[in-house]
Amino acid sequence: MISFEQPREIQERVEFVRRVAAGLMREQARHFDEHEHEIPWEFVNLMWDRSLSTGESFRSGAERSGDGPSLASQTLMHVIETLSWGDAGIYLCGPGAGLGGAAVQATGTPEQKERFLARYHEGKPKWASMAMTEAHCGSDTAAIRTTAVRDGEHWVLNGEKIFVTGGHKSMVDSDGLMVVWATVDPSAGRAGMKPFVVEAGTPGLRIAKLERKMGIRASDTASAVLENCRVPLGNLLGTPEVADRTKGFKGAMATFDATRPSVAASALGIARATLDLLKEHLAARGVKIRYGTPRHLLSALERDIVDMEAQLRAGWLLTLKAAWLMDERRPNTVESSMCKVKAGDVVTRTTQKGVELAGPPGYSRRLLFEKWMRDAKINDLFEGTGQINRLVIARRILGYTSKELK
Ligand SMILES: Cc1cc2nc3c(=O)[nH]c(=O)nc-3n(C[C@H](O)[C@H](O)[C@H](O)COP(=O)(O)OP(=O)(O)OC[C@H]3O[C@@H](n4cnc5c(N)ncnc54)[C@H](O)[C@@H]3O)c2cc1C
């Protein structure tokens, strides 16, 4: 039997983050939107201290306990959705292993996971980032040009990465790390791709600039230049065998299987925030939503609201399913891409409607509708655009390879 009841341990976790989201993040959302690249330290320290004292994690990339089924990923979805209801930009500044940690989890050996992730359980707040995108390649990850050449006991990395979320926080503001994807054989395409851990302070990696953005402006998005950046052989995640070339690209995809549901959860948090405020806003103006009334008797506005609520729930159920599969240690590639596509569509449409249906105040900076509309779109872009995730789904369902359907 399927149970939709929320287990108590999830409820307890969500209660804490709900208070943080409503009390702290919502209050600070406008400030950090208008002061791009300022770090929300109060939030960062609060989440870091809580995670050290309880072992809870607030970002993807956390270690999974044991080998059996767990509730870790489902819990994380609730936590991320709630924090993003508070503010998605501030949520993305949350300390912890994040996307970089997810890459270590997906591709590292047990020894590497221990060595590189232990730092996220001690000391001062730290971040981890992942650098795949380059100026000429985003969706087509196999086209990366950053190279890794073996020189004795080291790999030497050269190239330039752009749009690295948390790049500055991981490498400059903390003793974190960046997982850099580079090719060990440019002629081998995706087979030559390998992930390398570059730890903060490693000579040869320089954060060159911070992007000024439309939305999620609290989150830093950095460019990183690698010039003869030397890392020990053991920083190549996974088997050091260069001959084993099939695993590189698969590791990248496994990372996204784990993190796309987190992006979906964040998107749906923004969508729920919009719907909550919109209904409050309309109620204050005497507009009631007549639930249970036949559809043809509803006003256009009421139909918009109930449609958005239905879409939000559909996106949320897909997200929970993708997370549940992860908790069950089962493959989730299709579900992970599906929930991200759906959530990206839902949040984009819902936030646009928020601006529209709230009337002129929806467009004003006095309220957060316009900010949520700006924050929403990224969820349809990073970690695979809507189009790319649709391709992933189609290939899996129809049984095509990436060469056959592109
Ligand atoms: C704020 C922000 C944060 C980011 N953070 C990170 C990060 O932490 N790490 C990282 O590595 N990258 C990051 N990125 C990069 C992001 O993942 C890429 O922007 C994304 O993958 C798309 O790549 P692109 O921008 O090169 O677009 P392109 O690949 O050039 O695509 C342009 C358009 O064409 C479409 N398209 C491309 N190929 C196809 C196809 N075969 N079929 C149909 N449509 C297609 C795309 O969907 C898109 O709409 C970030 C980007 C942003 C904006």
Side-chain angles (χ1 to χ4, degrees), residues 84 88 91-92 216 260 262-268 270 340-341 343-345 347-348 372 374-386 389:
S84 301
Y91 148 68
L92 282 169
I216 54 161
R260 281 174 180 158
S262 301
V263 176
S266 180
L268 297 173
I270 304 172
K340 186 169 177 301
V341 167
D345 283 354
V347 74
T348 304
W372 290 330
R374 289 185 283 112
D375 288 346
K377 188 60 191 171
I378 189 59
N379 296 290
D380 197 34
L381 301 179
F382 61 10
E383 297 189 35
T385 62
N389 276 297

Side-chain angles (χ1 to χ4, degrees), residues 28-36 87-89 92 212-219 266-267 270-271 274 344 347-355 362-382:
Q28 298 189 341
R30 182 60 77 187
H31 174 90
F32 287 104
D33 180 48
E34 290 180 351
H35 296 78
E36 192 166 13
D87 186 71
L92 282 169
R212 298 194 61 212
K213 306 193 298 294
M214 171 173 99
I216 54 161
R217 302 180 78 224
S219 162
S266 180
I270 304 172
T274 305
V347 74
T348 304
R349 178 161 168 78
T350 305
T351 53
Q352 281 178 359
K353 276 279 169 195
V355 168
Y363 199 75
S364 156
R365 290 169 87 90
R366 269 188 291 133
L367 299 178
L368 288 169
F369 290 115
E370 62 80 29
K371 177 182 183 300
W372 290 330
M373 186 175 141
R374 289 185 283 112
D375 288 346
K377 188 60 191 171
I378 189 59
N379 296 290
D380 197 34
L381 301 179
F382 61 10

Side-chain angles (χ1 to χ4, degrees), residues 104 107-117 234-238:
V104 175
T107 59
T109 62
E111 180 275 325
Q112 287 174 322
K113 290 180 198 178
E114 176 56 31
R115 181 155 52 98
F116 292 124
L117 298 178
N235 284 28
L236 186 164
L237 290 169

Side-chain angles (χ1 to χ4, degrees), residues 99-158:
L99 183 57
V104 175
Q105 282 290 352
T107 59
T109 62
E111 180 275 325
Q112 287 174 322
K113 290 180 198 178
E114 176 56 31
R115 181 155 52 98
F116 292 124
L117 298 178
R119 71 194 70 192
Y120 296 99
H121 300 289
E122 60 193 28
K124 293 188 178 161
K126 293 175 199 74
W127 290 265
S129 53
M130 186 177 97
M132 174 87 78
T133 305
E134 299 177 9
H136 58 280
C137 88
S139 302
D140 182 12
T141 49
I144 55 171
R145 290 188 194 150
T146 296
T147 54
V149 176
R150 188 172 170 171
D151 180 22
E153 293 306 299
H154 289 87
W155 288 102
V156 183
L157 305 177
N158 278 289

